[in-house]
Structures are given as structure tokens and as C-alpha cells.
Amino acid sequence: MRIKPGTAWRDAYERCCSAAPEAFHDDRVLNHWGGIWHRDGRPVPGFSPLDGTAIAGLPRIDRAGAGRAVAGAVEEHRRWRHLPLAERKAMVSAAVESMAAHRDLLALLLVWEIGKPWKTACADVDRCLDGVRWYVAEIDRMVAGRMPLPGPVSNIASWNYPMSVLMHAMLVQALAGNAVIAKTPTDGGLCCLTLACALAVREGLPFTLVSGGGAELSPVLAGGRALGSVSFVGGRDAGAKVATSLADLGRRHVLEQEGLNCWGVWEYGDWELLTRQIRASFDYGKQRCTAYPRFVVRRSLFHEFLGAYLAAVGSLRFGHPLAVADPGDPLPELDFGPLINASKAKELADQVDEAVARGGVPVHRASLDAGHFLPGQDISAYLAPTALLNPPRSSPLFHAEPFGPVDTIVLVDTEAELLAAMNASNGALVATLSCDEEETFHRLAPEVRAFKVGHNRPRSRGDREELFGGLGASWRGAFVGGELLVRASTVSSTGSSTGSSAGSSTASSIGGPDGERLPGNFPHYTLLP
């Protein structure tokens, strides 16, 4: 086994230096703010989760540097918001096509920086570009009667989808008339995002990209009063801190947080279909906000469910996404590669060990020996597929999203127990009920606290016109997707209300100073689209 020729980290970084020398120097990556690339910040070491290879590290700025970056974005916003829509469309389209020309390099960077298998990395890039093309075609109707925000949009996002979530949102926010700020995720995606931003900036887009610690920069990137909106994607703990900084500011906000997405199995019999669905659920090692790590199963069906489950996990392929036997071989088709880093892999393995010690039953625990690896490579960031029956309530695996290839299974006997188990985390983004009868699904689904509930199929974030959000503690602020993403990034030009719901109409409860009630999950109301 060897790294496929032309895909080594040095090859990828040299291609970055050639494609965007203004953003990539031989010794470091730059930040971009105030319309200029800066050699500021303190570069820190970076390592790939694939095999521990040293890669480019974050050029971390301090809080004062973040303040200068925000001030630069405010100046860019004052100019950009008055640019005619036709010009914005042309510039965003040019940026998208420039990224498309570098699609394979962007995908290769995702493989090295966050461990995505090649097919998954390509899909992340393609979903971003195809989605923004759709918005360019539809934007005229979406901004009719609306104006850009009073200040730039600040994005603080997790590392797992740098293109299809973060860059996609940035391009749409700019298309809607806003300057855009993004903090590079601390755990990965630096070079991919920097290259995409460099290509966008060349076409004139008002992008600011900076790196730094979330705790240090959050007061500026989330709480700064000059911002027009804050968009956050991440865990509940960090999201709660961002929400605190937004309190009483009367500002647009979108805070997508984790939730334990559950798959219920009740009065069901299509086990071949479920086997295929379970295998597909391990895409990218379940490091997705819409992954399904919890199965809630009717006790009388457990023997049949277990057969379907073991058939699925027994066929999974994981390992190094760039390892080939011969130079001419295609890249391996893997279900997942490493977790984002060795610390996360150890944390999750320790949680599994603790849960088993406290009574959880390991119904499946694969070995790393089954992985597709280079000889002698560092495999500390990898975790083999694992499933636990009845995790103890004291375990984090009982109530929180593991963000790795670890499933938990809970057995229930009544519909009331089924619903209680599926709502264990006080809200989720998605859920699924596998049940044969339509009537059963329509009776149970409204009681599941998830934004989307699938019948005999998984639900996902969705693309283009599909809406996205969360219920309970999994989401705060405006819902997004389709027209709602643009509404969250603009204000009504008349200041009139476009929705109705009981509750306070203060600025802090509606997410904006214009009095518009956006569909979303706010402190004083929840308005579904």
C-alpha cells in the first residue's frame, strides 16, 4: 500500500501555492480582511487525521486582530450592499465557476484536512457549487421587497462541511447583498476554505476569513454590535455561549446545534431495505449533524432488527482514503476514514468502554485490523464501527450525539416509551420512523421533536428549496434552506411583519430590529414555515 501518486499533502499544498499565491506562502497560510491578504496571526502546527502527516496550521489572530477584521468587513459591507443585484449575481457566478475549475483540488484538501473519503469530499464541493447556482437563478424573487442587513454576516461553523454548509452559506449571504465574515473551524478545513475564499475574492466578493480560538474571538465575531447577523453551526455548549453574547442585541441569528437524531423501528418488516439504510447511515463516520446514532426498537422485533443491523455494519469499509496497492489503482471506495483527530477518537473509545463497564451491551465492536491502511501508519484518529445495546443513563452516549461511528440501541415495548426514547435530547434536527402502516406513522410523527421526520427513509439537511431547522434545544433563531436562507440574510424593505405567532415582539425575540417575525425557534415563539 502507498499514497496514490499526485495526492500527497505536499502535492496538494504546492497546487494551492500555484493557484492562489496571494493566500498561500511557502511557509504559511494567510488571513484575509479589509480586502487584503495579511501575514498576521500566529501559525500553529497542523496535522492530518489521515495518518498524522504535518499539514498547514491555523494562522491564529487575537481578539484585537478580529476587531480589525470586523471593522474591515463593515467598510466592505457599506459598499457591497448598494451594488445592483445583476452585478452581484455575475460576480458570485464567476466565483462558483472558478471554484468548479479547482474542484478536485478543493476535494483533495478536504481529504487531507478533515479525513473525508474521496467520493464524500467531491460531493461536499459539488453540493456547494450546484446549490449556489440554483440560488443565482432564483434570487430575484427571493429578494423582492427585501434589503441587505445593516451589517455583515458573521459565520462560526464546525469543521465537517466546509464547502456544502459554510462556503455555500457565505456565497448566498453575499448574493443577498452582505459582506461576509467566516472564522476558519479550529479542527480543520483551513486550506480548502482559504483557496475557495481566494478564488471568490478575485471575483470581487467581500469575504473576510480569519483563524483563531472560538473562546477568544467569539465576543467580537458573535457579539460585535456592528454585525448584521450571526450564523453558528456546532455543539450545544458553544452554541449556548454564542446565544448569551447575542442576548438583547436584536440581531438576526441562526444557531444550528446538536441533537440526538433517532431512528424508531415499530411494526416494521422490510429488513433488506433497513440493512441498506443502516450502512448508508455510516457515511463519513456519522460525523454529520443529520447522522442517526440512536435506534429505538420495539423489543419483539429486536431479533430481526439485529440481523439487519449486523449485516449492514459487517459490510462497512473504512481506512486511509488515499491508500492504493498500485499507482494506477483508483482511490478506494470507503464508507468513512478517520475521526477529525486522535483526541476525539480516544474520547469516544473511552465513552464506549465506560458505558460497557456500567452495563451497556456491545452487540458489535469491529477491530481496526479490518481497516484499509498504509503499512505502519498512525491510526490513532480511527475508530472501528461499534454498537451498544441499552447504554446506561449515566453515559454521554445515552443523551448526546457521539459524532463518530458509534450507535446505541434502546428497546421499548409501548408507543409511549418509543416517543420518550426518541425525544431523549430535547429536540433534534431529523428523525425517522420505520413502520409499515401510514396511519401509524401519521399518528406518531407529530409527537417526535425533530424538524424533519422521515417515513421508512432517512432525512437530511437537503438542498436548494428544501427547508432546514431544528426543534427544542437543537436550534435557536431563524430556520434556513431555500427562501428562508435569504430571508435570514436580509430585512424587509417595508419593516412589516411576515408571520404571526403568540409571544413577545421585542427585537431579541424576533431575531432582528425590523419587527419581522421570521420562521424559526426563538426564545418567545416558534414559527414553523
Side-chain angles (χ1 to χ4, degrees):
M1 286 287 186
R2 56 173 293 181
I3 297 289
K4 185 174 177 63
T7 68
W9 171 255
R10 178 173 295 182
D11 299 322
Y13 193 79
E14 287 178 352
R15 289 168 63 185
C16 289
C17 293
S18 176
E22 69 273 27
F24 295 88
H25 290 180
D26 290 341
D27 61 331
R28 59 167 291 168
V29 179
L30 281 65
N31 290 302
H32 185 268
W33 53 271
I36 300 172
W37 291 97
H38 296 265
R39 277 183 66 93
D40 58 359
R42 178 177 57 87
V44 297
F47 300 94
S48 171
L50 294 190
D51 52 19
T53 294
I55 62 175
L58 296 170
R60 296 169 69 109
I61 64 173
D62 57 18
R63 189 174 300 182
R68 291 189 291 270
V70 170
V74 170
E75 288 300 316
E76 287 192 290
H77 184 79
R78 289 171 179 164
R79 297 188 296 269
W80 181 260
R81 71 192 305 270
H82 296 296
L83 201 68
L85 177 58
E87 294 185 36
R88 300 201 304 266
K89 289 169 63 176
M91 295 164 79
V92 170
S93 294
V96 166
E97 299 315 314
S98 182
M99 292 179 202
H102 293 82
R103 177 257 202 179
D104 286 358
L105 176 55
L106 290 166
L108 181 59
L109 293 169
L110 292 180
V111 176
W112 275 108
E113 294 189 296
I114 63 173
K116 290 200 171 190
W118 175 248
K119 183 178 178 181
T120 306
C122 291
D124 190 18
V125 178
D126 292 342
R127 282 182 62 192
C128 169
L129 303 182
D130 290 343
V132 177
R133 290 185 182 109
W134 180 83
Y135 273 96
V136 170
E138 301 290 333
I139 191 65
D140 292 78
R141 65 174 177 83
M142 294 183 180
V143 297
R146 306 191 68 77
M147 302 185 304
L149 296 168
V153 181
S154 181
N155 295 270
I156 303 172
S158 59
W159 45 265
N160 52 341
Y161 284 91
M163 292 297 294
S164 64
V165 175
L166 179 52
M167 180 53 59
H168 177 275
M170 293 169 65
L171 289 165
V172 175
Q173 290 159 1
L175 183 64
N178 305 290
V180 179
I181 305 165
K183 186 183 85 67
T184 306
T186 304
D187 287 324
L190 168 66
C191 291
C192 178
L193 281 170
T194 301
L195 177 59
C197 281
L199 299 173
V201 166
R202 284 183 184 176
E203 303 301 335
L205 298 193
F207 280 3
T208 294
L209 182 67
V210 294
S211 300
E216 183 175 13
L217 303 190
S218 182
V220 178
L221 298 183
R225 293 187 175 274
L227 301 173
S229 176
V230 174
S231 178
F232 169 87
V233 180
R236 290 191 181 184
D237 290 344
K241 294 177 182 177
V242 172
T244 299
S245 69
L246 290 171
D248 300 323
L249 291 179
R251 175 184 301 144
R252 288 278 194 270
H253 59 278
V254 176
L255 307 183
E256 176 187 331
Q257 302 171 148
E258 64 184 341
L260 186 62
N261 305 317
C262 293
W263 193 307
V265 181
W266 188 263
E267 298 178 353
Y268 184 70
D270 193 345
W271 304 111
E272 290 186 5
L273 173 61
L274 189 61
T275 294
R276 295 194 298 271
Q277 292 171 335
I278 290 171
R279 176 171 182 172
S281 77
F282 278 86
D283 177 55
Y284 192 34
K286 302 209 171 193
Q287 296 177 102
R288 301 178 288 121
C289 64
T290 54
Y292 287 85
R294 167 68 51 81
F295 290 88
V296 182
V297 183
R298 185 169 186 172
R299 192 181 306 272
S300 61
L301 297 177
F302 178 62
H303 63 294
E304 293 180 282
F305 168 83
L306 185 59
Y309 185 90
L310 293 178
V313 295
S315 65
L316 292 170
R317 297 193 67 213
F318 61 93
H320 196 304
L322 302 176
V324 295
D326 296 306
D329 288 349
L331 293 172
E333 294 189 9
L334 304 176
D335 295 288
F336 60 92
L339 273 65
I340 188 58
N341 53 48
S343 296
K344 177 60 180 179
K346 183 181 186 305
E347 172 192 303
L348 197 48
D350 288 346
Q351 288 180 1
V352 170
D353 289 340
E354 183 181 15
V356 171
R358 294 182 178 181
V361 180
V363 296
H364 178 77
R365 199 166 189 180
S367 169
L368 288 178
D369 292 341
H372 176 87
F373 298 121
L374 298 169
Q377 76 160 79
D378 182 345
I379 59 172
S380 59
Y382 292 81
L383 187 68
T386 301
L388 298 181
L389 175 65
N390 291 335
R393 291 180 177 270
S394 59
S395 169
L397 296 175
F398 184 84
H399 56 78
E401 182 180 19
F403 234 61
V406 176
D407 283 338
T408 54
I409 304 167
V410 174
L411 303 184
V412 295
D413 296 299
T414 67
E415 291 184 357
E417 290 178 320
L418 173 78
L419 294 172
M422 292 190 71
N423 292 328
S425 68
N426 184 28
L429 305 177
V430 296
T432 287
L433 282 167
S434 286
C435 55
D436 292 333
E437 299 297 329
E438 289 275 351
E439 186 275 332
T440 302
F441 171 77
H442 290 299
R443 184 179 70 254
L444 296 177
E447 303 302 318
V448 177
R449 297 200 75 197
F451 186 78
K452 298 179 181 180
V453 181
H455 183 202
N456 297 339
R457 66 185 181 94
R459 298 304 306 270
S460 67
R461 186 182 186 94
D463 294 304
R464 302 183 182 185
E465 71 271 15
E466 189 169 352
L467 308 182
F468 190 61
L471 296 184
S474 68
W475 195 281
R476 301 171 189 247
F479 296 145
V480 295
E483 184 177 352
L484 295 189
L485 177 55
V486 173
R487 289 180 65 183
S489 303
T490 56
V491 294
S492 170
S493 58
T494 62
S496 61
S497 176
T498 59
S500 61
S501 179
S504 169
S505 61
T506 63
S508 61
S509 70
I510 61 176
D514 58 338
E516 180 182 21
R517 290 189 171 226
L518 296 173
N521 192 26
F522 294 94
H524 297 285
Y525 78 88
T526 296
L527 179 60
L528 296 176

